[in-house]
Amino acid sequence: TVPTGEELALGRLATPDEIAAWDIDIRPDGAGLPDGSGDVWTGEELYVENCASCHGDFGESIGRWPQLAGGQGTLTRDRPVKTIGSYWPYLSTVYDYVHRAMPFGDAQSLSDDDVYAITAYLLYLNDLVDDDFVLDREALAGFDMPNVNGFYPDDRAETEFGVFSAPICMEDCRNEVEITARAEVVDVTPDDETARLAREAAAT
Amino acid sequence: MSEHKGPSRRMLLGAMAAGGAAMTTGMARAAGDPAITELQPWMRSLGDGVDAHPYGMPSPFEAHVKRRNVEWLTADPVSSVNFTPIHELDGIITPNGLCFERHHSGIARVDPSLHRLMINGLVDREIVFTMDDLKRFPRYNRIHFLECAANSGMEWRGAQLNGCQFTHGMIHNVMYTGVMLRDVLAAAGVKPTGTWLLAEGADAAAMTRSIPMEKALDDCMIAFKMNGEALRPEQGYPVRLVVPGWEGNMWVKWLRRIEIGDQPWQHREETSKYTDLLPDGRARRFTYEMDAKSVITNPSPQAPLSHGKGPTVLTGIAWSGRGTIPRVDVTLDGGRNWHQARMDGPSLEKSMHRFYFDFDWDGRPLLLQSRAHDSTGYVQPTKDALRAIRGPDSIYHNNGIQTWHVDERGEAENVEVG
């Protein structure tokens, strides 16, 4: 019989310092948040120094980098603008993600207070707090984001599976078939000279 | 079952006669095929010895078979994606060097002797494993597809990229060797309150996803090999999570930590990303499973029909996150009439399946589509049927039927039909 993981007793106990070093995740209820705090104006300084070169001075984004602010009320429009303010359901996600993965290319370089301050500034850029706002553990865990009720669990089983398991047609299923969209007209596919030459060589 | 009879003997004989005529003309011109009548260099001189290529590479004639990226898709190639050349592959196994890549902070170059996997949170024993420890758990082999949730996402608003590599190539299918996640979790002893786990990567993105415990205990693996050899660095070397049938983002690479908790963490990759916006402005979250899907890989825009009329092999791939693919239908006329394709090769749960449809091409334009059926009875929908429910802005989970228009020359184009 194959031994179970429980019987094998592999690995060793993790030390408290090891767990503290790696367990940096934050939850919406505030679990995982460190002591500390940061205000909007400190956040602005840090943001300009560390973030604005990609995300823009006002979170509007440079080039194709993510837009962090604005877009409120656009989720039902054509071309919705999904930002922290318009889309993200929880503020804890901002703290967690900035702390674990930003700035891009220099991850985990910000102190706990830095991340509180930048998070406060991002709220300010999204018109969700005044400029004298100070963010700390309690304020963050209790903060209501505008789109917190904008999400619901996967419901494909109820809304789609029945429709897409219906009997299908095999013969004379439709009349005219018309081409309604063409990728060659859009013309955004990278050219592949190597492949074209290889095809031509193989055909001769 | 036998709606598709294959080419008739009469059709085959006709095609052979046509081919014979072409050959006669060629012989008259050249008095024989120089590929036969002239001595080729490889027939005369010696080739490389067995010491020349300790790790072999494909023939230089196959240099075009490679991953490709689309520069305009992302801000930067480090948090980006490339595409598997599925139009050049056959069978169901993706060669390791061609498996598409998706990173959020580039390819972590992890030293396996310094790699650790930590299990903490709601467990009896918070544990650290080395790679050697992990390899002492009972080992299993499973073949599964990994499809990016955004595969075909650029096509929601209409035909955009011209080639199945680009429209459907955020997928690969390999044999994983590894250990069952449930065995590793059992070593730590999950507490009864532990209903969710958080998987975290060791790269600079420290990628995290919340996974329900039921899935973790069912068929998830911690894999250290793919297609028999160590994982490639770009696929998570030395160790990655395997989450069969579920969206690729959850298959955390360079896996360094698993925390057990009693609720999801709602991290960036399950709130801002990998949530699916619907027409009422609300979004689905936790859309884990990849629905049944298929695509014709040949002919396709990057793989035109170059042989002219006559016997033609149409082939493609189909897969479902909920089981196997017992059947694929193919149409040559944009969905007016459908034929059952021939499935060939292994049919495995949550794995790619290969299908073929052998037909006699009369040289007239074709509108090709494939329609996968999975083992739950679900039939792959059209893009219009999906958009009727989801609108055009859900980004992820586009499993709609793909159409290729093949013209009289055999050139194929990505189109939509109405």
Side-chain angles (χ1 to χ4, degrees):
Chain A
T1 59
V2 185
T4 67
E6 201 171 1
E7 294 161 357
L8 289 170
L10 289 162
R12 63 162 174 85
L13 291 180
T15 72
D17 283 353
E18 288 171 340
I19 295 167
W22 274 10
D23 183 356
I24 58 170
D25 51 80
I26 313 296
R27 287 197 322 203
D29 61 1
L33 279 172
D35 292 332
S37 69
D39 60 71
V40 168
W41 295 123
T42 308
E44 183 192 35
E45 278 181 41
L46 289 162
Y47 179 91
V48 168
E49 197 178 317
N50 294 287
C51 320
S53 64
C54 293
H55 296 293
D57 283 344
F58 305 101
E60 77 279 16
S61 103
I62 308 279
R64 291 190 58 88
W65 296 107
Q67 183 173 339
L68 304 181
Q72 277 90 340
T74 66
L75 298 183
T76 54
R77 282 190 211 159
D78 198 39
R79 313 282 173 184
V81 179
K82 297 191 285 181
T83 71
I84 291 169
S86 71
Y87 192 64
W88 291 35
Y90 305 106
L91 188 56
S92 58
T93 314
V94 180
Y95 189 103
D96 176 89
Y97 183 68
V98 171
H99 181 229
R100 77 170 51 245
M102 290 288 124
F104 191 59
D106 194 15
Q108 300 198 40
S109 60
L110 298 166
S111 73
D112 294 341
D113 285 345
D114 290 349
V115 182
Y116 274 117
I118 288 171
T119 305
Y121 186 63
L122 290 170
L123 289 176
Y124 176 73
L125 284 181
N126 278 288
D127 300 321
L128 296 172
V129 297
D130 294 328
D131 61 5
D132 60 354
F133 181 73
V134 180
L135 188 66
D136 60 12
R137 189 202 308 250
E138 285 68 36
L140 194 150
F143 199 90
D144 283 330
M145 295 292 277
N147 198 40
V148 65
N149 295 319
F151 298 83
Y152 58 95
D154 186 0
D155 67 346
R156 283 176 290 178
E158 294 78 49
T159 56
E160 297 186 2
F161 291 0
V163 182
F164 300 152
S165 301
I168 46 146
C169 173
M170 292 298 286
E171 277 179 34
D172 298 326
C173 301
R174 52 189 294 176
N175 294 320
E176 285 310 296
V177 181
E178 190 187 337
I179 293 175
T180 55
R182 295 184 53 194
E184 277 177 18
V185 173
V186 180
D187 194 23
V188 290
T189 311
D191 186 41
D192 193 348
E193 185 73 5
T194 329
R196 192 176 54 75
L197 293 173
R199 272 206 308 272
E200 284 169 11
T204 53
Chain B
M1 285 301 286
S2 59
E3 271 161 293
H4 166 55
K5 300 185 191 75
S8 71
R9 180 169 164 77
R10 195 162 56 90
M11 255 159 40
L12 276 176
L13 289 174
M16 282 163 69
M23 228 178 281
T24 311
T25 315
M27 274 193 279
R29 189 175 62 231
D33 183 350
I36 299 169
T37 58
E38 290 175 17
L39 197 58
Q40 303 299 326
W42 54 85
M43 297 170 171
R44 177 183 300 225
S45 55
L46 302 177
D48 287 342
V50 295
D51 53 350
H53 308 287
Y55 197 114
M57 294 292 285
S59 158
F61 294 100
E62 301 296 316
H64 55 290
V65 183
K66 59 190 179 186
R67 297 186 283 228
R68 305 199 59 212
N69 70 322
V70 178
E71 269 181 45
W72 56 262
L73 273 182
T74 53
D76 170 283
V78 169
S79 179
S80 195
V81 65
N82 62 24
F83 300 88
T84 304
I86 51 175
H87 61 295
E88 293 280 0
L89 304 179
D90 216 307
I92 63 166
I93 295 294
T94 315
N96 288 341
L98 295 176
C99 289
F100 88 99
E101 304 167 69
R102 204 297 186 230
H103 321 301
H104 291 74
S105 288
I107 302 167
R109 298 283 173 182
V110 177
D111 175 346
S113 72
L114 295 177
H115 190 72
R116 307 286 182 265
L117 174 65
M118 178 186 290
I119 314 267
N120 73 308
L122 297 176
V123 289
D124 298 330
R125 297 168 294 281
E126 296 184 304
I127 297 188
V128 172
F129 300 101
T130 63
M131 287 304 300
D132 283 345
D133 294 333
L134 286 176
K135 290 176 179 174
R136 295 167 71 189
F137 284 95
R139 222 170 280 174
Y140 297 86
N141 296 287
R142 298 279 187 273
I143 296 175
H144 292 300
F145 74 84
L146 184 169
E147 184 184 16
C148 180
N151 199 20
S152 315
M154 300 82 76
E155 304 291 309
W156 270 116
R157 284 178 178 272
Q160 182 162 239
L161 286 160
N162 212 23
C164 64
Q165 178 170 19
F166 302 110
T167 57
H168 290 74
M170 292 188 211
I171 190 165
H172 49 71
N173 198 69
V174 306
M175 176 181 279
Y176 295 97
T177 304
V179 301
M180 299 310 290
L181 179 53
R182 59 175 172 263
D183 280 337
V184 177
L185 292 177
V190 175
K191 292 182 187 296
T193 48
T195 50
W196 287 84
L197 61 80
L198 183 76
E200 180 175 71
D203 60 329
M207 167 69 64
T208 44
R209 278 300 297 260
S210 304
I211 299 171
M213 186 59 69
E214 193 180 16
K215 178 67 172 176
L217 298 179
D218 177 18
D219 57 0
C220 289
M221 296 173 76
I222 296 175
F224 36 82
K225 299 215 157 152
M226 56 193 288
N227 291 336
E229 64 177 358
L231 296 178
R232 293 292 170 91
E234 63 269 30
Q235 302 298 339
Y237 179 83
V239 68
R240 88 171 308 161
L241 202 59
V242 169
V243 190
W246 288 22
E247 60 187 16
N249 180 258
M250 306 181 78
W251 299 48
V252 173
K253 298 188 283 191
W254 314 290
L255 181 72
R256 78 160 179 211
R257 194 171 68 92
I258 292 170
E259 182 171 342
I260 312 301
D262 59 4
Q263 54 181 279
W265 277 258
Q266 308 285 2
H267 277 184
R268 189 247 196 183
E269 310 294 332
E270 54 207 19
T271 55
S272 171
K273 309 297 176 190
Y274 306 100
T275 52
D276 311 356
L277 186 62
L278 297 180
D280 69 355
R282 296 192 305 151
R284 286 178 182 152
R285 65 176 151 206
F286 306 149
T287 45
Y288 300 133
E289 286 164 315
M290 301 306 292
D291 290 321
K293 186 168 175 179
S294 67
V295 65
I296 294 169
T297 53
N298 304 77
S300 64
Q302 297 160 287
L305 289 177
S306 52
H307 54 55
K309 299 176 190 180
T312 300
V313 174
L314 177 157
T315 187
I317 46 177
W319 61 95
S320 168
R322 296 196 182 80
T324 59
I325 300 286
R327 169 177 167 184
V328 174
D329 304 324
V330 168
T331 174
L332 308 181
D333 55 12
R336 287 182 179 184
N337 297 287
W338 294 85
H339 317 273
Q340 233 177 288
R342 175 171 62 87
M343 309 304 297
D344 188 75
S347 171
L348 301 163
E349 290 274 319
K350 303 165 190 172
S351 165
M352 266 189 201
H353 294 64
R354 174 62 59 174
F355 66 86
Y356 296 93
F357 181 68
D358 310 287
F359 72 104
D360 185 78
W361 184 39
D362 60 10
R364 282 187 290 192
L366 305 167
L367 282 169
L368 304 179
Q369 298 178 341
S370 60
R371 179 172 70 185
H373 301 235
D374 80 11
S375 46
T376 72
Y378 177 102
V379 183
Q380 184 183 0
T382 62
K383 291 182 190 176
D384 283 338
L386 285 173
R387 283 186 292 238
I389 295 171
R390 303 186 197 169
D393 286 312
S394 55
I395 299 179
Y396 307 104
H397 294 282
N398 183 355
N399 66 317
I401 289 174
Q402 174 66 48
T403 310
W404 306 129
H405 175 248
V406 179
D407 68 15
E408 299 89 340
R409 299 165 299 163
E411 298 286 334
E413 183 184 0
N414 174 12
V415 300
E416 288 207 12
V417 291

